[in-house]
Amino acid sequence: MMRCSVRTILALLVFLSSGRSAFAQQPVYSLRVDYHYGSLNPWLFYEIPISRTVGWLSVFQMSSQGFAQIDFGPSFHLGKWQLIPQIGFEFSESQDKGARMSHLVYEAYALYYSGKLSFESQNLYFSETVKDQASFFYYRDFFLFRVLPKLSIGPQVEGTAASGMTTSKYLGGQISLDLGIGSMSVFMGRERKNEHSVFRMTFLKTF
């Protein structure tokens, strides 16, 4: 049974490693700006190469709603796949509590890119570090299909789940447009239980 499992894992790694060359052997910078939930969230991604298929990714996120997050972890480039496990530290600030670390975040990302199809899965568990915060799980998954040379569309689902709390699941779609200087994507989703809607606009530029 153990030999079968090892063979399966090795076969999977060989399959994932096929189909695309290793990523660039130099630091990669990306700037991302989100507008959602009435706030602006700028992100800075910085990846340095460790080997031909492994990099070290650092992410710095800020929000006009009074929180910031720092994430670190390896980035595995396996063919057309990119797998990223990370650990994050979320800091919040308010007038009555001041600044403090509010959550320890365990993260796992899976990304797939090909000529006509892309897929992304985000899975984050926010573990509370102070008593007045709550632990919860956040997920986001989407497929994008290229319908024109610079236009992709596809379905998206995202939401939260927590013990003893109201869960959410937003179903909708995403449109992504290549602007030449970067990409602009728009997501619109709706919660079926309470009929609330969510809107997000994202600009992404890689240097």
Side-chain angles (χ1 to χ4, degrees), residues 137-156:
F137 174 73
Y138 174 83
Y139 63 92
R140 183 189 304 176
D141 302 287
F142 63 82
F143 286 92
L144 287 176
F145 303 91
R146 182 172 296 176
V147 294
L148 293 173
K150 294 184 178 294
L151 179 66
S152 300
I153 61 175
Q156 179 168 328

Side-chain angles (χ1 to χ4, degrees), residues 62-82:
M62 294 166 283
S63 172
S64 59
Q65 287 187 332
F67 73 89
Q69 189 171 317
I70 304 173
D71 311 294
F72 302 100
S75 177
F76 300 96
H77 298 259
L78 304 171
K80 297 179 180 179
W81 287 88
Q82 185 177 3

Side-chain angles (χ1 to χ4, degrees), residues 146 149-152 176-185 204:
R146 182 172 296 176
K150 294 184 178 294
L151 179 66
S152 300
S176 181
L177 179 64
D178 183 355
L179 302 176
I181 60 171
S183 65
M184 179 68 75
S185 62
L204 178 63

Side-chain angles (χ1 to χ4, degrees), residues 38-99:
S39 68
L40 283 175
N41 298 319
W43 305 62
L44 177 63
F45 299 81
Y46 175 57
E47 182 175 358
I48 57 174
I50 298 176
S51 70
R52 294 186 67 254
T53 57
V54 181
W56 183 262
L57 181 61
S58 303
V59 183
F60 307 91
Q61 176 192 4
M62 294 166 283
S63 172
S64 59
Q65 287 187 332
F67 73 89
Q69 189 171 317
I70 304 173
D71 311 294
F72 302 100
S75 177
F76 300 96
H77 298 259
L78 304 171
K80 297 179 180 179
W81 287 88
Q82 185 177 3
L83 306 178
I84 310 171
Q86 285 194 313
I87 187 74
F89 306 89
E90 183 192 67
F91 300 88
S92 61
E93 186 173 10
S94 62
Q95 291 184 349
D96 57 333
K97 300 291 185 179

